[in-house]
């Protein structure tokens, strides 16, 4: 289960993108989370996905 807090979510997602998953789709599928919801929660906190580096900033 992914954290509700957007800063914890950012940390977990970026760690998983860096260490164990190739894509946000893979993470969301494995965690049973909606990709659009994850993107929205992070965007609302001021973060956007940067595909070139495969991470949120």
């Amino acid at each position: 289960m992914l954290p509700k807090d957007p800063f914890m979510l950012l940390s977990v997602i970026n760690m998983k993108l860096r260490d164990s998953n190739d894509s946000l789709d893979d993470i969301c599928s494995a965690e049973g989370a909606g990709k659009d919801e994850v993107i929205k929660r992070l965007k609302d906190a001021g973060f956007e996905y940067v595909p070139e580096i495969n991470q949120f900033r």
Side-chain angles (χ1 to χ4, degrees):
M1 185 151 114
L2 293 173
K4 300 289 184 198
D5 177 83
F7 297 101
M8 292 297 296
L9 178 61
L10 173 72
S11 178
V12 168
I13 293 289
N14 278 342
M15 179 191 65
K16 287 179 179 274
L17 286 170
R18 182 187 67 237
D19 295 343
S20 60
N21 295 90
D22 291 331
S23 72
L24 184 57
D25 289 321
D26 289 346
I27 295 168
C28 291
S29 178
E31 297 289 337
K35 179 180 174 182
D36 292 338
E37 176 64 21
V38 169
I39 291 171
K40 181 184 181 327
R41 286 173 48 204
L42 289 173
K43 186 172 186 166
D44 289 349
F47 303 104
E48 295 218 24
Y49 182 66
V50 181
E52 297 81 21
I53 59 173
N54 195 34
Q55 116 183 140
F56 281 87
R57 289 209 158 180

